[in-house]
Amino acid sequence: MRVAVVVFPGTNCEHDAVYGLEQVGAEPHLVWHRETDLSGFDGVVLPGGFAHGDYLRTGAIARFSPVMAEVERMAGTGAPVLGICNGFQILCEAGLLPGVLLQNANLKFICRPVDIVVTSTSSVLTRTATVGQVLR
């Protein structure tokens, strides 16, 4: 599986994403955010970091990068699309995920484990899990 790992100005975890993808047998390639053709890829990862700065809603800027039209096209075909950290924010700002990110109540950084429940095993990320399994 060929996977595009999109790099925005300020991205700082792209090499971690490449390493992780290699560990599961994928063929990752770094792609600059100004790319307009991802037709040679089977999936796409928007890694973490600080695309366009370390502020809330910088994904609102990154969503206008030329590559995002291709990310949207790929998502529409059912290709795997993963947003990590700031990449998740970009996907929300682009309307590819529902909702919006908000400032927390005390305006301080919060880092704590979060539990999520597997509701489907039909994705590449959950195919080895079981429905109802709690992931931390």
Side-chain angles (χ1 to χ4, degrees):
M1 176 180 228
R2 287 177 45 90
V3 180
V5 177
V6 180
V7 179
F8 294 89
T11 297
N12 66 7
C13 298
E14 68 273 24
H15 296 286
D16 296 328
V18 165
Y19 177 79
L21 288 163
E22 288 172 342
Q23 296 309 298
V24 297
E27 183 185 330
H29 297 271
L30 296 176
V31 174
W32 187 238
H33 73 110
R34 294 204 180 274
E35 182 62 55
T36 58
D37 182 13
L38 298 180
S39 61
F41 294 99
D42 305 303
V44 63
V45 173
L46 304 183
F50 304 100
H52 298 288
D54 185 13
Y55 310 99
L56 183 64
R57 298 209 59 222
T58 56
I61 298 167
R63 77 177 197 90
F64 291 110
S65 290
V67 76
M68 291 308 295
E70 279 292 280
V71 172
E72 185 173 349
R73 180 192 62 75
M74 290 180 72
T77 68
V81 175
L82 175 64
I84 303 167
C85 189
N86 190 242
F88 176 84
Q89 181 187 145
I90 295 166
L91 293 175
C92 288
E93 293 288 354
L96 294 172
L97 294 173
V100 63
L101 301 179
L102 302 172
Q103 293 177 338
N104 60 34
N106 64 6
L107 299 178
K108 296 195 186 286
F109 177 74
I110 298 172
C111 180
R112 66 173 177 247
V114 176
D115 293 336
I116 59 172
V117 178
V118 176
T119 59
S120 169
T121 57
S122 63
S123 85
V124 68
L125 296 175
T126 60
R127 67 180 174 210
T128 62
T130 57
V131 172
Q133 182 179 358
V134 177
L135 305 175
R136 174 160 280 214

